[in-house]
Amino acid sequence: MVSYKRLDPENVRFSNAALLGESALTQENKSVRDPEECERPLIPPRPACSATTGLLVLGSLLLVLCAGWLLATMFWLHNVPSDQPHKPPTPSSTNRTDAQGSKEQIPSVTVPNPQACAVIAESWRFDCYPESHAVVTREMCEARGCCFIPVSSSSTSSSSSSPSGRHGIPWCFYPEGFGSYSLVSVNDTTLGEEGRLVRDTKTYYPGDIMTLHLEIRHETNTRLRVRITDPSNSRFEVPITVPNATTKADSPTYSVELSKEPFGLIVKRLSTGTVLLNTTVAPLFFADQFLQFSSSLPSSFIYGLGEHRSTFLHDIQWTTLTMWARDVPPVEMTNLYGAHPFYLAMEEGGDAHGFFLLNSNAMDVALQPAPALTWRTIGGILDFYVFLGPDPSSVVSQYLEVIGSPAMPVYWALGYHLCRWGYDSSNATWDVVKSMRNYGIPQDVQWNDIDYMQRFMDFTYDPSRFSTLPELVKDLHFHGQRYVMILDPGISSTEPAGSYSPYDEGLKRGVFINDSDGNTLIGKVWPGLTAYPDFSSDVTHEWWYDNLKRFHEKVPFDGLWIDMNEPSNFLDGSTNGCPSSSLEDPPYTPGILGGLLRSKTLCATAQQKISVHYNVHSLYGLMEAKASASALQRIVGKRPFVISRSSFPSQGMYSGHWLGDNRSQWKDLYASIAGIMTFNLLGIPLVGADICGFGEEPQEEMCVRWTQLGAFYPFTRNHNGIDMKPQDPTAFSPLARTAMKQALLLRYSLFPILYTLFHHAHVQGHTVARPLMFEFPGDVKTYGIDRQFLWGKGLLVTPVVDPGVDYVVGYFPAGLWYDYYTGDSVPSKGEELRLQAPLDKINLHLREGVIIPTQRPNITLWVSSGQPLHLVSALSEDGSASGDLFWDDGESIDTYETNQYAYIVFDVTQNVMTSQVLRSHLEATYITVESASFYGVKAEPNRVLVNSQDAAFTYRANQQVLTVSELGLNLSQNFTISWM
């Protein structure tokens, strides 16, 4: 509910005289004195109620009432947004027009019994009047046949502190027995069941679909799919490729129960009986432009549901998360750049499951403390999956089996990237690159923002300020570095005919999005008036490739940064506005920023090849990423590198993502950890935030700490805005510069393990930056941690995220941990520990039982990836450990799929390390293993053997660390290291 608490309960309750109860009227009548009583003199010389006095009193009362009415009206008008007028309540019985323009009769509703309403617990009240900005009265609520119970401020104090002020216990909520669908028939199928759902009465939204088709597919033992569709008319479905199951799961780990009256699904985990999904808790809606269903949740621990600025663990205290791609700097409680209708939920005992609604229309996801959740979308169908896990990592892997696993990145994507808006010239850009080299600071990729373009037009570069751009790119390539440029989708439409081929050719080939009249829709972004390519069309993909190829012949760029692809528009809709339509102003509008679907984007009625923009808006970034990755692969013949701002499920197959236009503030630094963990959960592991912040002036201390944290983003880029001071590492004091350099060299030394983690993400759907709870699902203390994270299963990162401190407090799950730098053991019973953190240090710890390969770092990954390896083994209490390494040429396409790679596993058992080459490849023959360290060797060895030959070693008794150096072992050959 948006603003129930804007009106005093008494004002709402008695806003209409017809709502006054008989007892209230009787009491009010008792307060009105008989006129004759006023005329009886109690003191003869002076009547008690003269006519003059009565008139004066009556006049005064009228003045007070008028003044009160005027103030209340002004207050109400002030609080109702001008861009979304207050909608009157739906009358209880009237004619209305449905989406097709025909008249439909709404039956009279029955006001629910107050006593029956009162017994519904507050946390289980499902909102019957979710419209944004509606000030709901009893009359409005009961016109929908719903319960109306005002909630005192004391009852909502815990939930009314939401930043948006729009969430709290609903005053208007569904009663028991509210009209829904009935399951009138059900039959077995080869995959599960199918049934027919029928609704007897219409709802308060137009276009009810009274008969629905239900399909339940037991696709795998850990994946259930449910589809609810209109059997009479085809409706929009999201055009991403998903598995097509052909046989029913033989041993599912779930059960499905069907409630017939009212219809509902109950999905349980067979091993524990835990209810994962129960849609009987609230009515099902399936109208043309309003689809809604609710479910209980097994716990309050829920994650995902991107893209939003929030903590990693969502707050279920009446929180509504809106999904509709939007260009807006990250702020809380706002729909941001991407839409990801997937959540992961933890259960009692440490099990986990996932839920994915395959729908791209604008939607709200309402969380409430029951715990429960409500999905509200304004188009498409209900097509959802339940993933049984049972652990968090398995849930994500099962989700990615449906939407597609992330691509294996080109090796240099994992290096340090440097960018800013405001380099002003190619020579200024070049100077920063040279300065980084002079200080020996690692850098693999140099970027340019829109200032390289001629008047901000795609596929151009400024001939005066950026005249040396081709030479700059050649110099980068000579030094083993790469160049990435920005592209926005908006194509300038105002250049003289024949002078700007991207637009001229686009018109001829029909690649642009049209308005509802079939004419090219014109919006406005950086170049001025612009047309928008329709990336849902294959013709547009080919046009995009042609323009990229032509520009690549002038400036041989290596990767693409696709921005502004929500798509963004400086106007609302177009230069001609948008037509009056139920698509532009649907019966229900989710709580999107601006209150209108067209706010700072295109008209919802705009025409694209596969559908109207109303249905595909949030797919725009995904479709552009797919076109860009395909084009780049054709042009360079190697793995494409694309970073996109807008995203949708399956995006990881084509691009990475950065978290948008953040600010140079400590809270943004902290919030980025939740962001990278969430996007790893959503299947886009190549993710990071703008290091040091995009907007506002960076502080030196914060930039050092952010560079240390950013060195452990899967995608690490420093980027800042125009007119801001430089914030690349060379711009700071020697102390800060050295600390940043050390952090980046540390990242480069860990490249082998990072590259291997991306291999597992690509092949097995694993996360790279991993929440602690993924590895410790039985430890509830890890469920809310978003100030620390893991690389893989065993490298714990504990950054400083607060100003002015030289220590950090981190949580260590039960077990044995080792200081990465020294090998000192850190035993824990599952507790928080205070760690020293001077300005030049980020705390890293290894989990017992892991082996990680590291490498001698250099200033580019092209150089450092050829350096010798150092193996670090963190032994468990029983002296065991294991690890692995994936290695290929770093840039060829589909090396795993074509077996063009090496894969080596390492193992330590009973004082013997073995290296076993499971797959050999030429690339591995170039790499040697130079040294190995073993943390947790409890006694100094007398002898160390390498391949049965004596070898020199050192042992630090204080740390219990054994190191064997000068090994010279070829990575492509098996070897052993043993001690006794």
Side-chain angles (χ1 to χ4, degrees), residues 846-869:
L846 285 174
R847 180 185 179 185
E848 62 174 320
V850 304
I851 299 174
I852 64 169
T854 68
Q855 206 161 28
R856 189 187 307 160
N858 208 289
I859 61 172
T860 66
L861 287 177
W862 176 252
V863 177
S864 65
S865 63
Q867 299 302 304
L869 297 178

PDB file of all heavy atoms in Angstrom, residues 846-869:
ATOM      1  N   LEU A 846      42.534 -18.386   3.674  1.00  0.00           N
ATOM      2  CA  LEU A 846      42.269 -19.625   2.975  1.00  0.00           C
ATOM      3  C   LEU A 846      41.540 -20.590   3.897  1.00  0.00           C
ATOM      4  O   LEU A 846      41.904 -20.749   5.066  1.00  0.00           O
ATOM      5  CB  LEU A 846      43.569 -20.269   2.494  1.00  0.00           C
ATOM      6  CG  LEU A 846      44.250 -19.634   1.276  1.00  0.00           C
ATOM      7  CD1 LEU A 846      45.588 -20.295   1.028  1.00  0.00           C
ATOM      8  CD2 LEU A 846      43.352 -19.754   0.057  1.00  0.00           C
ATOM      9  N   ARG A 847      40.549 -21.231   3.368  1.00  0.00           N
ATOM     10  CA  ARG A 847      39.792 -22.244   4.096  1.00  0.00           C
ATOM     11  C   ARG A 847      40.559 -23.568   4.079  1.00  0.00           C
ATOM     12  O   ARG A 847      41.184 -23.929   3.081  1.00  0.00           O
ATOM     13  CB  ARG A 847      38.429 -22.418   3.436  1.00  0.00           C
ATOM     14  CG  ARG A 847      37.501 -23.425   4.055  1.00  0.00           C
ATOM     15  CD  ARG A 847      36.269 -23.530   3.188  1.00  0.00           C
ATOM     16  NE  ARG A 847      35.310 -24.493   3.658  1.00  0.00           N
ATOM     17  CZ  ARG A 847      34.198 -24.831   3.000  1.00  0.00           C
ATOM     18  NH1 ARG A 847      33.940 -24.247   1.821  1.00  0.00           N
ATOM     19  NH2 ARG A 847      33.370 -25.730   3.492  1.00  0.00           N
ATOM     20  N   GLU A 848      40.538 -24.253   5.169  1.00  0.00           N
ATOM     21  CA  GLU A 848      41.210 -25.542   5.217  1.00  0.00           C
ATOM     22  C   GLU A 848      40.700 -26.464   4.118  1.00  0.00           C
ATOM     23  O   GLU A 848      39.524 -26.469   3.768  1.00  0.00           O
ATOM     24  CB  GLU A 848      40.981 -26.211   6.580  1.00  0.00           C
ATOM     25  CG  GLU A 848      39.536 -26.526   6.894  1.00  0.00           C
ATOM     26  CD  GLU A 848      39.397 -27.312   8.193  1.00  0.00           C
ATOM     27  OE1 GLU A 848      40.223 -28.212   8.441  1.00  0.00           O
ATOM     28  OE2 GLU A 848      38.468 -27.012   8.973  1.00  0.00           O
ATOM     29  N   GLY A 849      41.635 -27.211   3.562  1.00  0.00           N
ATOM     30  CA  GLY A 849      41.266 -28.199   2.559  1.00  0.00           C
ATOM     31  C   GLY A 849      41.315 -27.731   1.126  1.00  0.00           C
ATOM     32  O   GLY A 849      40.925 -28.483   0.226  1.00  0.00           O
ATOM     33  N   VAL A 850      41.793 -26.510   0.862  1.00  0.00           N
ATOM     34  CA  VAL A 850      41.843 -26.019  -0.517  1.00  0.00           C
ATOM     35  C   VAL A 850      43.285 -25.867  -0.983  1.00  0.00           C
ATOM     36  O   VAL A 850      44.203 -25.638  -0.189  1.00  0.00           O
ATOM     37  CB  VAL A 850      41.097 -24.671  -0.685  1.00  0.00           C
ATOM     38  CG1 VAL A 850      39.661 -24.799  -0.213  1.00  0.00           C
ATOM     39  CG2 VAL A 850      41.821 -23.552   0.041  1.00  0.00           C
ATOM     40  N   ILE A 851      43.464 -26.002  -2.280  1.00  0.00           N
ATOM     41  CA  ILE A 851      44.739 -25.713  -2.943  1.00  0.00           C
ATOM     42  C   ILE A 851      44.458 -24.699  -4.033  1.00  0.00           C
ATOM     43  O   ILE A 851      43.546 -24.894  -4.850  1.00  0.00           O
ATOM     44  CB  ILE A 851      45.353 -26.980  -3.568  1.00  0.00           C
ATOM     45  CG1 ILE A 851      45.640 -28.029  -2.495  1.00  0.00           C
ATOM     46  CG2 ILE A 851      46.638 -26.634  -4.324  1.00  0.00           C
ATOM     47  CD1 ILE A 851      46.114 -29.361  -3.063  1.00  0.00           C
ATOM     48  N   ILE A 852      45.206 -23.601  -4.046  1.00  0.00           N
ATOM     49  CA  ILE A 852      45.019 -22.606  -5.104  1.00  0.00           C
ATOM     50  C   ILE A 852      46.328 -22.394  -5.857  1.00  0.00           C
ATOM     51  O   ILE A 852      47.405 -22.297  -5.260  1.00  0.00           O
ATOM     52  CB  ILE A 852      44.487 -21.259  -4.557  1.00  0.00           C
ATOM     53  CG1 ILE A 852      45.492 -20.603  -3.614  1.00  0.00           C
ATOM     54  CG2 ILE A 852      43.154 -21.449  -3.862  1.00  0.00           C
ATOM     55  CD1 ILE A 852      45.130 -19.174  -3.279  1.00  0.00           C
ATOM     56  N   PRO A 853      46.254 -22.365  -7.174  1.00  0.00           N
ATOM     57  CA  PRO A 853      47.430 -22.021  -7.978  1.00  0.00           C
ATOM     58  C   PRO A 853      47.544 -20.510  -8.135  1.00  0.00           C
ATOM     59  O   PRO A 853      46.553 -19.836  -8.434  1.00  0.00           O
ATOM     60  CB  PRO A 853      47.135 -22.696  -9.312  1.00  0.00           C
ATOM     61  CG  PRO A 853      45.643 -22.727  -9.399  1.00  0.00           C
ATOM     62  CD  PRO A 853      45.119 -22.787  -7.992  1.00  0.00           C
ATOM     63  N   THR A 854      48.724 -19.973  -7.900  1.00  0.00           N
ATOM     64  CA  THR A 854      48.977 -18.539  -8.083  1.00  0.00           C
ATOM     65  C   THR A 854      50.122 -18.376  -9.080  1.00  0.00           C
ATOM     66  O   THR A 854      50.737 -19.353  -9.515  1.00  0.00           O
ATOM     67  CB  THR A 854      49.319 -17.851  -6.754  1.00  0.00           C
ATOM     68  OG1 THR A 854      50.588 -18.324  -6.280  1.00  0.00           O
ATOM     69  CG2 THR A 854      48.252 -18.155  -5.703  1.00  0.00           C
ATOM     70  N   GLN A 855      50.385 -17.125  -9.415  1.00  0.00           N
ATOM     71  CA  GLN A 855      51.340 -16.863 -10.482  1.00  0.00           C
ATOM     72  C   GLN A 855      52.113 -15.591 -10.178  1.00  0.00           C
ATOM     73  O   GLN A 855      51.594 -14.670  -9.546  1.00  0.00           O
ATOM     74  CB  GLN A 855      50.570 -16.705 -11.804  1.00  0.00           C
ATOM     75  CG  GLN A 855      51.318 -17.034 -13.043  1.00  0.00           C
ATOM     76  CD  GLN A 855      50.368 -17.289 -14.203  1.00  0.00           C
ATOM     77  OE1 GLN A 855      49.260 -16.770 -14.253  1.00  0.00           O
ATOM     78  NE2 GLN A 855      50.791 -18.105 -15.153  1.00  0.00           N
ATOM     79  N   ARG A 856      53.334 -15.542 -10.625  1.00  0.00           N
ATOM     80  CA  ARG A 856      54.121 -14.323 -10.466  1.00  0.00           C
ATOM     81  C   ARG A 856      53.485 -13.226 -11.320  1.00  0.00           C
ATOM     82  O   ARG A 856      53.352 -13.370 -12.533  1.00  0.00           O
ATOM     83  CB  ARG A 856      55.556 -14.567 -10.914  1.00  0.00           C
ATOM     84  CG  ARG A 856      56.516 -13.422 -10.591  1.00  0.00           C
ATOM     85  CD  ARG A 856      57.868 -13.689 -11.228  1.00  0.00           C
ATOM     86  NE  ARG A 856      58.387 -15.003 -10.864  1.00  0.00           N
ATOM     87  CZ  ARG A 856      59.340 -15.643 -11.560  1.00  0.00           C
ATOM     88  NH1 ARG A 856      59.836 -15.098 -12.652  1.00  0.00           N
ATOM     89  NH2 ARG A 856      59.766 -16.823 -11.166  1.00  0.00           N
ATOM     90  N   PRO A 857      53.048 -12.095 -10.737  1.00  0.00           N
ATOM     91  CA  PRO A 857      52.290 -11.099 -11.504  1.00  0.00           C
ATOM     92  C   PRO A 857      53.186 -10.193 -12.333  1.00  0.00           C
ATOM     93  O   PRO A 857      54.385 -10.037 -12.060  1.00  0.00           O
ATOM     94  CB  PRO A 857      51.576 -10.303 -10.416  1.00  0.00           C
ATOM     95  CG  PRO A 857      52.516 -10.361  -9.250  1.00  0.00           C
ATOM     96  CD  PRO A 857      53.157 -11.733  -9.305  1.00  0.00           C
ATOM     97  N   ASN A 858      52.549  -9.579 -13.338  1.00  0.00           N
ATOM     98  CA  ASN A 858      53.214  -8.577 -14.146  1.00  0.00           C
ATOM     99  C   ASN A 858      52.191  -7.496 -14.461  1.00  0.00           C
ATOM    100  O   ASN A 858      51.066  -7.526 -13.965  1.00  0.00           O
ATOM    101  CB  ASN A 858      53.799  -9.206 -15.407  1.00  0.00           C
ATOM    102  CG  ASN A 858      55.020  -8.462 -15.914  1.00  0.00           C
ATOM    103  OD1 ASN A 858      54.895  -7.354 -16.431  1.00  0.00           O
ATOM    104  ND2 ASN A 858      56.208  -9.061 -15.767  1.00  0.00           N
ATOM    105  N   ILE A 859      52.548  -6.534 -15.316  1.00  0.00           N
ATOM    106  CA  ILE A 859      51.643  -5.396 -15.525  1.00  0.00           C
ATOM    107  C   ILE A 859      50.547  -5.675 -16.534  1.00  0.00           C
ATOM    108  O   ILE A 859      49.626  -4.873 -16.669  1.00  0.00           O
ATOM    109  CB  ILE A 859      52.412  -4.120 -15.918  1.00  0.00           C
ATOM    110  CG1 ILE A 859      53.167  -4.332 -17.228  1.00  0.00           C
ATOM    111  CG2 ILE A 859      53.351  -3.714 -14.805  1.00  0.00           C
ATOM    112  CD1 ILE A 859      53.782  -3.038 -17.760  1.00  0.00           C
ATOM    113  N   THR A 860      50.625  -6.793 -17.270  1.00  0.00           N
ATOM    114  CA  THR A 860      49.512  -7.237 -18.103  1.00  0.00           C
ATOM    115  C   THR A 860      49.346  -8.737 -17.920  1.00  0.00           C
ATOM    116  O   THR A 860      50.299  -9.454 -17.608  1.00  0.00           O
ATOM    117  CB  THR A 860      49.731  -6.943 -19.604  1.00  0.00           C
ATOM    118  OG1 THR A 860      50.819  -7.738 -20.077  1.00  0.00           O
ATOM    119  CG2 THR A 860      49.999  -5.474 -19.855  1.00  0.00           C
ATOM    120  N   LEU A 861      48.134  -9.199 -18.141  1.00  0.00           N
ATOM    121  CA  LEU A 861      47.891 -10.636 -18.037  1.00  0.00           C
ATOM    122  C   LEU A 861      48.550 -11.390 -19.174  1.00  0.00           C
ATOM    123  O   LEU A 861      48.836 -12.589 -19.041  1.00  0.00           O
ATOM    124  CB  LEU A 861      46.387 -10.915 -18.021  1.00  0.00           C
ATOM    125  CG  LEU A 861      45.671 -10.540 -16.718  1.00  0.00           C
ATOM    126  CD1 LEU A 861      44.172 -10.780 -16.833  1.00  0.00           C
ATOM    127  CD2 LEU A 861      46.238 -11.330 -15.536  1.00  0.00           C
ATOM    128  N   TRP A 862      48.790 -10.704 -20.304  1.00  0.00           N
ATOM    129  CA  TRP A 862      49.496 -11.362 -21.403  1.00  0.00           C
ATOM    130  C   TRP A 862      50.882 -11.822 -20.947  1.00  0.00           C
ATOM    131  O   TRP A 862      51.342 -12.901 -21.311  1.00  0.00           O
ATOM    132  CB  TRP A 862      49.612 -10.412 -22.590  1.00  0.00           C
ATOM    133  CG  TRP A 862      50.410 -10.982 -23.732  1.00  0.00           C
ATOM    134  CD1 TRP A 862      51.655 -10.609 -24.129  1.00  0.00           C
ATOM    135  CD2 TRP A 862      50.010 -12.033 -24.608  1.00  0.00           C
ATOM    136  NE1 TRP A 862      52.073 -11.350 -25.198  1.00  0.00           N
ATOM    137  CE2 TRP A 862      51.067 -12.247 -25.517  1.00  0.00           C
ATOM    138  CE3 TRP A 862      48.864 -12.812 -24.716  1.00  0.00           C
ATOM    139  CZ2 TRP A 862      51.017 -13.218 -26.520  1.00  0.00           C
ATOM    140  CZ3 TRP A 862      48.807 -13.781 -25.714  1.00  0.00           C
ATOM    141  CH2 TRP A 862      49.877 -13.966 -26.601  1.00  0.00           C
ATOM    142  N   VAL A 863      51.513 -11.005 -20.107  1.00  0.00           N
ATOM    143  CA  VAL A 863      52.842 -11.363 -19.605  1.00  0.00           C
ATOM    144  C   VAL A 863      52.736 -12.274 -18.393  1.00  0.00           C
ATOM    145  O   VAL A 863      53.382 -13.326 -18.325  1.00  0.00           O
ATOM    146  CB  VAL A 863      53.649 -10.093 -19.250  1.00  0.00           C
ATOM    147  CG1 VAL A 863      55.001 -10.474 -18.654  1.00  0.00           C
ATOM    148  CG2 VAL A 863      53.847  -9.228 -20.479  1.00  0.00           C
ATOM    149  N   SER A 864      51.916 -11.894 -17.426  1.00  0.00           N
ATOM    150  CA  SER A 864      51.883 -12.645 -16.172  1.00  0.00           C
ATOM    151  C   SER A 864      51.299 -14.037 -16.348  1.00  0.00           C
ATOM    152  O   SER A 864      51.653 -14.962 -15.615  1.00  0.00           O
ATOM    153  CB  SER A 864      51.112 -11.875 -15.103  1.00  0.00           C
ATOM    154  OG  SER A 864      49.761 -11.729 -15.452  1.00  0.00           O
ATOM    155  N   SER A 865      50.401 -14.236 -17.329  1.00  0.00           N
ATOM    156  CA  SER A 865      49.814 -15.564 -17.514  1.00  0.00           C
ATOM    157  C   SER A 865      50.820 -16.579 -18.035  1.00  0.00           C
ATOM    158  O   SER A 865      50.531 -17.780 -18.052  1.00  0.00           O
ATOM    159  CB  SER A 865      48.620 -15.488 -18.463  1.00  0.00           C
ATOM    160  OG  SER A 865      49.033 -15.055 -19.751  1.00  0.00           O
ATOM    161  N   GLY A 866      51.975 -16.106 -18.438  1.00  0.00           N
ATOM    162  CA  GLY A 866      53.027 -17.030 -18.863  1.00  0.00           C
ATOM    163  C   GLY A 866      54.070 -17.286 -17.795  1.00  0.00           C
ATOM    164  O   GLY A 866      55.036 -18.035 -18.032  1.00  0.00           O
ATOM    165  N   GLN A 867      53.901 -16.699 -16.624  1.00  0.00           N
ATOM    166  CA  GLN A 867      54.888 -16.826 -15.552  1.00  0.00           C
ATOM    167  C   GLN A 867      54.718 -18.150 -14.805  1.00  0.00           C
ATOM    168  O   GLN A 867      53.660 -18.788 -14.846  1.00  0.00           O
ATOM    169  CB  GLN A 867      54.753 -15.663 -14.587  1.00  0.00           C
ATOM    170  CG  GLN A 867      54.977 -14.299 -15.209  1.00  0.00           C
ATOM    171  CD  GLN A 867      56.341 -14.181 -15.860  1.00  0.00           C
ATOM    172  OE1 GLN A 867      57.367 -14.394 -15.211  1.00  0.00           O
ATOM    173  NE2 GLN A 867      56.358 -13.845 -17.150  1.00  0.00           N
ATOM    174  N   PRO A 868      55.743 -18.583 -14.089  1.00  0.00           N
ATOM    175  CA  PRO A 868      55.669 -19.838 -13.331  1.00  0.00           C
ATOM    176  C   PRO A 868      54.606 -19.783 -12.237  1.00  0.00           C
ATOM    177  O   PRO A 868      54.237 -18.714 -11.749  1.00  0.00           O
ATOM    178  CB  PRO A 868      57.072 -19.969 -12.724  1.00  0.00           C
ATOM    179  CG  PRO A 868      57.947 -19.138 -13.594  1.00  0.00           C
ATOM    180  CD  PRO A 868      57.096 -17.990 -14.050  1.00  0.00           C
ATOM    181  N   LEU A 869      54.130 -20.964 -11.858  1.00  0.00           N
ATOM    182  CA  LEU A 869      53.089 -21.093 -10.840  1.00  0.00           C
ATOM    183  C   LEU A 869      53.684 -21.331  -9.462  1.00  0.00           C
ATOM    184  O   LEU A 869      54.772 -21.911  -9.319  1.00  0.00           O
ATOM    185  CB  LEU A 869      52.155 -22.257 -11.176  1.00  0.00           C
ATOM    186  CG  LEU A 869      51.325 -22.185 -12.453  1.00  0.00           C
ATOM    187  CD1 LEU A 869      50.506 -23.460 -12.608  1.00  0.00           C
ATOM    188  CD2 LEU A 869      50.418 -20.974 -12.444  1.00  0.00           C
TER     189      LEU A 869
END
